[in-house]
């Protein structure tokens, strides 16, 4: 089994991954709040933790991957103010809140399938776990870390901070936050503005409500992940993931809820992907600067110069390390498109390589170390850019072999082919978008190009170089790359 090292946000350093109960791994990732179409900002965490899910399974772990759907309780503002995001959308569109949640859940699933993101092992909905959330609230109340106010239940951050440390994940100085909020104490239902809702009493106009010992209401956003993580992964599990924007307050509140309810932390490793930005500003629905994934796929957005395929989007995200920022631009996506095409061409060209009795020294050395070099990249906190760079090195070798400038044995070609396909398709999750749907077109292209090349061969045989060159240039202008080799003419379509 490979030695995987991951960055633990809790300790702010890379750590060797050692599961609590190997070979079993429990992983929880915060999923979408389903009130709008998925955008590029949703794609990044989905792809990041899809890579982790794929890689953990590949290196021998049995993974239970839980990714939730937030369909209640996520208010417009982190200060427990404003409308529920789904209810607000439902009023605007004159639909039931669950119609909104179902519609955008379906849209999210469609987008994830397009991006070749594997479904999680379990996908719980917040509305399906109200009882479990109420139980967490009861435990926190019983342990003295929450209080009731006008039918709502709030987490007492000040009391918790005296016994434990509120801010352990985010590194924030909560004492200063509490002191700064005292001038607002007594305003509204909270004792301190830093306190957060565990249960909210529903106003008369609020549609989504459930009975509880305190009021008819709905759970706080932070409460759902603690309750569902515990239900499906137990009181202690290995990995909790999400975007960096969730570190505070969401994940900080999750840690506090776990400690306040059961006495210790639930999660061993906290992992966070960085943001997608536009001109340096986070992409998000709340900021109104987002581009939906469907708009990327169709090109129908004012800032897009063309459509970008799902695999181009996936390759774009994987081309940067998950903890680094990625700034959107058409230029960056066009570069990703070219990189993706280069990789797919390299993998396709493996079938064109002619084997020799033995590999030359350089080829043999590269093939012998190629697989482990890819593993080394992935073991270093999922360093996908380094893995892609190594795959490009393999593509360079493929070009040399196709051009008969190096030799490779059948065994080495088999190893190179299997390793390239393993890391590109199984682990990085890329797909060749020029596959089955294009088979008929490829066959038609092949017949036409072969016929034209036969005419060119006839012209060359007759030493009619002008016609021969004219045919070659016309094919090149149409997007076909023609090469004359000692074994004959080869061609491929430059897409």
């Amino acid at each position: 089994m490979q030695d995987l090292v991951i960055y633990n946000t809790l300790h702010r350093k890379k750590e060797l991954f050692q599961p609590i109960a190997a070979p079993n791994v429990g992983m929880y990732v915060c999923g979408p709040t389903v009130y709008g179409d998925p955008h590029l900002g949703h794609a990044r965490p989905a792809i990041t933790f899809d890579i982790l899910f794929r890689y953990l399974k590949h290196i021998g772990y049995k993974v239970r991957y839980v990714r939730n759907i937030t369909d209640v309780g996520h208010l417009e503002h982190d200060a427990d103010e404003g409308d529920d995001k789904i209810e607000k959308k439902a009023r605007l569109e004159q639909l039931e809140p669950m119609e909104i949640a179902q519609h955008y859940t379906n849209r999210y699933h469609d987008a994830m399938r397009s991006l070749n993101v594997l479904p999680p092992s379990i996908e719980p909905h917040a509305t399906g776990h109200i009882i479990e959330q109420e139980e967490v609230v009861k435990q926190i109340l019983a342990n003295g870390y929450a209080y009731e106010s006008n039918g709502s239940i709030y987490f007492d951050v000040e009391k918790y901070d005296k016994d434990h440390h509120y801010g352990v994940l985010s590194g924030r100085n909560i004492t200063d936050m509490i002191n700064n909020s005292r001038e607002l104490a007594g305003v509204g239902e909270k004792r301190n503005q830093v306190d957060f809702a565990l249960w909210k009493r529903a106003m008369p106009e609020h549609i989504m409500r459930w009975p509880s010992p305190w009021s008819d209401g709905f759970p706080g956003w932070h409460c759902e992940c603690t309750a569902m993580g515990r239900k499906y992964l137990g009181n202690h599990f290995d990995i909790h993931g999400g975007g960096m924007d969730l570190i505070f307050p969401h994940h900080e509140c999750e840690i506090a809820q776990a400690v306040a309810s059961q006495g210790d932390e639930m999660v061993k490793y906290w992992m966070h992907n960085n943001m997608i930005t536009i001109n340096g500003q986070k992409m998000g629905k709340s900021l109104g600067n987002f581009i939906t994934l469907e708009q990327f796929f169709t090109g129908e957005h004012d800032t897009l110069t063309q459509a970008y395929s799902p695999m181009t989007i996936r390759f774009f995200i994987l081309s940067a390390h998950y903890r680094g920022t990625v700034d959107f631009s058409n230029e960056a996506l066009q570069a990703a498109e070219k990189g993706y095409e280069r990789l797919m061409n390299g993998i396709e060209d493996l079938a064109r390589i002619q084997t020799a009795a033995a590999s030359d020294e350089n080829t043999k050395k590269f093939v012998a170390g190629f697989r482990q070099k890819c593993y080394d990249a992935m073991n270093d906190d999922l360093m996908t850019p380094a893995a892609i760079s190594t795959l490009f090195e393999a593509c360079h070798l493929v070009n040399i072999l196709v051009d008969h400038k190096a030799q490779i044995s059948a065994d080495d070609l088999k190893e190179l082919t299997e390793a390239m396909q393993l890391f590109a398709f199984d682990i990085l999750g890329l797909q060749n978008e020029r596959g089955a749907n294009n088979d008929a077109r490829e066959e038609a292209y092949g017949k036409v190009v072969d016929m034209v090349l036969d005419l060119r061969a006839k012209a060359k045989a007759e030493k009619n170089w002008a016609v021969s060159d004219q045919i070659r240039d016309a094919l090149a202008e149409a997007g076909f790359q023609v090469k004359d080799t000692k074994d004959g003419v080869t061609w491929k379509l430059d897409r």
Side-chain angles (χ1 to χ4, degrees):
M1 188 173 286
Q2 299 289 321
D3 288 334
L4 171 63
V5 172
I6 57 177
Y7 185 87
N8 190 349
T9 309
L10 186 64
H11 300 142
R12 296 168 184 78
K13 64 180 182 179
K14 292 181 183 179
E15 297 175 352
L16 180 65
F17 179 63
Q18 296 178 309
I20 296 168
N24 298 301
V25 172
M27 181 169 76
Y28 188 100
V29 175
C30 291
T33 301
V34 283
Y35 70 103
D37 276 333
H39 56 72
L40 194 60
H42 291 117
R44 193 168 196 196
I47 290 171
T48 294
F49 293 101
D50 180 60
I51 295 295
L52 180 58
F53 184 34
R54 288 170 179 271
Y55 192 61
L56 287 171
K57 290 196 298 180
H58 171 71
I59 61 177
Y61 291 111
K62 182 180 180 181
V63 186
R64 177 177 288 174
Y65 175 19
V66 181
R67 187 188 67 207
N68 71 294
I69 294 291
T70 295
D71 52 3
V72 69
H74 195 169
L75 303 186
E76 290 180 285
H77 308 295
D78 288 334
D80 300 317
E81 297 172 354
D83 292 329
D84 182 292
K85 292 183 176 184
I86 293 169
E87 277 224 354
K88 181 179 181 180
K89 186 77 169 183
R91 284 198 299 272
L92 288 172
E93 299 193 11
Q94 296 184 318
L95 296 170
E96 283 289 328
M98 284 298 98
E99 285 184 273
I100 293 295
Q102 187 64 58
H103 173 74
Y104 288 113
T105 298
N106 293 344
R107 298 280 285 177
Y108 178 78
H109 288 157
D110 290 344
M112 294 304 105
R113 278 191 291 270
S114 296
L115 293 169
N116 199 28
V117 170
L118 298 175
S121 312
I122 302 172
E123 189 176 58
H125 292 231
T127 52
H129 297 80
I130 301 298
I131 293 173
E132 289 83 356
Q133 293 173 78
E134 289 184 3
E135 287 303 310
V136 171
V137 177
K138 290 176 184 177
Q139 291 167 1
I140 295 173
L141 276 168
N143 290 335
Y145 293 111
Y147 57 90
E148 183 176 354
S149 179
N150 197 27
S152 295
I153 308 296
Y154 292 97
F155 192 94
D156 192 334
V157 170
E158 185 172 28
K159 182 170 183 181
Y160 175 85
D161 195 52
K162 289 177 181 176
D163 299 336
H164 305 284
H165 178 199
Y166 185 80
V168 65
L169 184 67
S170 63
R172 297 198 178 202
N173 188 328
I174 304 303
T175 301
D176 288 345
M177 292 178 62
I178 292 172
N179 290 336
N180 291 338
S181 72
R182 288 195 189 281
E183 60 190 56
L184 298 174
V187 178
E189 299 177 339
K190 300 180 183 181
R191 294 175 184 171
N192 284 303
Q193 292 305 301
V194 293
D195 294 348
F196 58 89
L198 299 172
W199 184 267
K200 288 283 284 184
R201 179 175 65 90
M203 295 295 103
E205 67 275 10
H206 203 94
I207 301 170
M208 302 171 79
R209 59 174 66 217
W210 291 265
S212 79
W214 318 288
S215 64
D216 278 5
F218 54 92
W221 172 41
H222 311 306
C223 198
E224 67 184 63
C225 291
T226 301
M228 292 188 289
R230 180 179 296 167
K231 179 178 177 68
Y232 295 109
L233 299 174
N235 287 355
H236 303 96
F237 58 89
D238 300 296
I239 298 169
H240 195 316
M244 281 186 178
D245 57 331
L246 297 179
I247 293 174
F248 189 90
H250 188 48
H251 290 164
E252 194 73 74
C253 293
E254 282 193 57
I255 290 176
Q257 289 168 158
V259 175
S261 61
Q262 69 183 36
D264 60 358
E265 294 188 24
M266 294 172 62
V267 179
K268 186 173 181 180
Y269 302 94
W270 287 88
M271 296 181 68
H272 296 90
N273 64 273
N274 213 322
M275 300 295 102
I276 300 281
T277 58
I278 298 181
N279 298 322
Q281 186 181 40
K282 173 197 164 187
M283 178 183 287
K285 286 197 286 281
S286 60
L287 298 172
N289 66 347
F290 66 95
I291 305 173
T292 69
L293 290 169
E294 183 177 6
Q295 288 170 328
F296 276 106
F297 300 158
T298 61
E300 296 175 359
H301 191 279
D302 291 343
T303 62
L304 298 176
T305 58
Q306 65 176 81
Y308 298 99
S309 73
M311 286 303 103
T312 296
I313 298 297
R314 187 175 180 107
F315 191 91
F316 169 66
I317 289 173
L318 295 178
S319 295
H321 187 245
Y322 76 90
R323 288 192 289 115
T325 56
V326 175
D327 198 50
F328 156 79
S329 69
N330 281 284
E331 292 76 17
L333 281 167
Q334 287 161 6
E337 185 175 61
K338 290 179 181 177
Y340 165 73
E341 291 289 340
R342 178 185 170 193
L343 179 56
M344 291 303 106
N345 284 337
I347 292 174
E348 287 179 354
D349 285 347
L350 286 162
R352 299 170 54 203
I353 295 172
Q354 294 183 1
T355 59
S359 300
D360 59 71
E361 185 178 347
N362 288 337
T363 300
K364 191 168 189 64
K365 182 179 178 182
F366 179 87
V367 173
F370 172 70
R371 187 184 291 254
Q372 189 57 51
K373 192 172 181 181
C374 290
Y375 277 127
D376 291 344
M378 296 303 295
N379 289 336
D380 184 13
D381 194 30
L382 307 181
M383 193 61 70
T384 55
I388 290 172
S389 177
T390 304
L391 285 165
F392 281 158
E393 291 176 20
C395 290
H396 178 67
L397 173 62
V398 169
N399 289 336
I400 293 172
L401 291 166
V402 168
D403 289 341
H404 304 287
K405 295 176 182 176
Q407 290 185 322
I408 189 169
S409 68
D411 287 344
D412 282 347
L413 179 58
K414 181 174 182 290
E415 164 61 17
L416 182 63
T417 301
E418 290 178 354
M420 287 185 73
Q421 292 177 343
L422 167 68
F423 282 93
F425 299 141
D426 297 347
I427 294 175
L428 295 183
L430 296 167
Q431 292 176 315
N432 192 338
E433 292 172 321
R434 308 174 312 202
N437 293 336
N438 294 324
D439 283 349
R441 186 179 70 176
E442 295 288 350
E443 185 177 353
Y445 281 156
K447 288 179 179 178
V448 172
V449 174
D450 287 343
M451 180 181 68
V452 172
L453 288 176
D454 284 343
L455 294 174
R456 179 171 177 260
K458 183 178 179 182
K460 288 179 72 175
E462 295 171 353
K463 299 187 187 229
N464 192 342
W465 310 118
V467 171
S468 171
D469 290 345
Q470 184 181 11
I471 292 173
R472 182 197 62 206
D473 294 343
L475 286 170
E477 188 175 344
F480 294 91
Q481 185 182 115
V482 177
K483 279 189 179 182
D484 292 302
T485 73
K486 65 179 184 180
D487 297 312
V489 181
T490 65
W491 66 269
K492 65 181 176 182
L493 177 62
D494 285 338
R495 297 165 176 86

